[in-house]
Amino acid sequence: LQHVPLFQDLAVEELETIAPLFVERKYKKGTILFFEGDIGDEFFLIQSGVVKVYRIDNAKEIILSLFHEGDFFGEMALVQRGLQRSATAETMDNCSIYTLVRSEFYAFMERSPKLCLRLMETTMERLRKANEQIYDLTFLDVRTRIIKTIFKLSEQYGQTKASGTLINIKLTHQQLANLVGTVRESVTKVLQELQEDRIISINKKYISVRNVEALKKLIY
Ligand code: CMP
């Protein structure tokens, strides 16, 4: 747990108190962890795998965020007592997740100002990203938004390889569209163009950024 950013500043004794309270659970790909509107009674921390948090309207989906190893989620319905889950959470591959029940989460928050500060820091980081998303959705065209999303994914999930930066997360065109807030056809078209210009390459659904400078020039 000491490698998890949320627990970075905690003393060993504090970590030793909280660690046994977490319950480790394995989930298969495509498992709904909770639905928007549910009563929230658990806090989630990812050990491995990717989870998407999204909202749905008339079968259209908008992904609010992707979470991976070391990320936590499900804190909102716990901190805002009485409010329901603000979005649905679903595993995107087989996941191993630590959960903490509401009462333990509270007890620990009350005991540890450092933990509260880290939680606030992450919340502000997420608010900053949400502000950027509002800006992008308002001012950028779809093509630029798709390209920017690929760039951001390469920063977040990128692994340096001889051929460029491999985005180590498998996304279908539809999932990418749901992340950008557009339709699948637009994603397919832009990915095709970027491949033709040799800015990216795609192998077995994994995208590699081959020319990051060219990609950035298309955004900024
Ligand atoms: P909760 O409302 O309990 O359940 C859904 C979770 O998704 C929420 O807690 C947060 O952890 C997470 N979440 C909701 N909206 C966002 C967002 N805009 N950015 C990042 N995470 C979010």
Side-chain angles (χ1 to χ4, degrees):
L1 284 182
Q2 73 242 46
H3 303 300
V4 171
L6 181 64
F7 300 130
Q8 233 167 38
D9 308 324
L10 297 194
V12 177
E13 308 82 69
E14 282 184 295
L15 267 175
E16 281 171 354
T17 342
I18 199 168
L21 304 177
F22 277 98
V23 177
E24 188 187 344
R25 296 224 185 92
K26 309 265 185 210
Y27 296 98
K28 288 233 148 50
K29 176 181 175 170
T31 307
I32 305 267
L33 302 171
F34 52 77
F35 285 99
E36 178 182 348
D38 281 356
I39 302 291
D41 44 19
E42 274 175 325
F43 172 81
F44 297 79
L45 178 68
I46 304 180
Q47 191 198 14
S48 66
V50 179
V51 170
K52 67 171 174 176
V53 162
Y54 63 99
R55 298 189 68 184
I56 275 192
D57 182 71
N58 281 331
K60 274 190 295 181
E61 173 183 311
I62 176 80
I63 299 178
L64 300 174
S65 191
L66 294 175
F67 294 126
H68 61 133
E69 187 185 329
D71 287 336
F72 67 82
F73 59 94
E75 78 294 353
M76 284 168 63
L78 297 194
V79 173
Q80 296 183 293
R81 293 168 201 246
L83 289 193
Q84 297 152 339
R85 293 292 189 199
S86 61
T88 301
E90 181 180 333
T91 57
M92 291 191 50
D93 43 29
N94 294 342
C95 286
S96 174
I97 298 178
Y98 294 117
T99 60
L100 188 65
V101 294
R102 173 191 282 265
S103 55
E104 302 290 5
F105 176 77
Y106 272 121
F108 212 75
M109 295 279 283
E110 277 164 9
R111 277 205 308 268
S112 176
K114 280 184 180 156
L115 190 71
C116 294
L117 271 172
R118 293 293 301 179
L119 200 76
M120 275 176 68
E121 216 176 297
T122 308
T123 304
M124 284 170 200
E125 185 56 38
R126 290 179 185 175
L127 180 59
R128 201 177 273 272
K129 278 192 188 154
N131 286 352
E132 191 158 348
Q133 218 168 359
I134 294 171
Y135 176 95
D136 291 354
L137 284 165
T138 311
F139 298 119
L140 302 185
D141 57 50
V142 168
R143 180 187 152 79
T144 312
R145 290 206 321 263
I146 293 168
I147 296 171
K148 188 168 176 183
T149 301
I150 294 168
F151 176 63
K152 292 279 171 191
L153 286 170
S154 77
E155 282 188 323
Q156 209 181 352
Y157 296 96
Q159 284 184 351
T160 309
K161 303 272 173 193
S163 59
T165 305
L166 170 79
I167 300 175
N168 195 18
I169 174 170
K170 211 177 202 170
L171 289 171
T172 62
H173 292 192
Q174 185 62 59
Q175 285 166 331
L176 207 46
N178 295 350
L179 204 51
V180 172
T182 185
V183 291
R184 184 178 49 79
E185 290 77 4
S186 303
V187 168
T188 303
K189 184 165 172 272
V190 171
L191 290 182
Q192 187 66 41
E193 285 170 18
L194 293 175
Q195 283 183 94
E196 279 163 12
D197 294 341
R198 297 182 178 277
I199 295 174
I200 64 163
S201 59
I202 301 179
N203 188 8
K204 297 193 180 107
K205 293 213 175 112
Y206 285 96
I207 300 173
S208 286
V209 177
R210 298 176 54 163
N211 187 344
V212 70
E213 288 311 316
L215 193 72
K216 276 203 229 167
K217 269 195 198 134
L218 296 173
I219 311 167
Y220 302 108

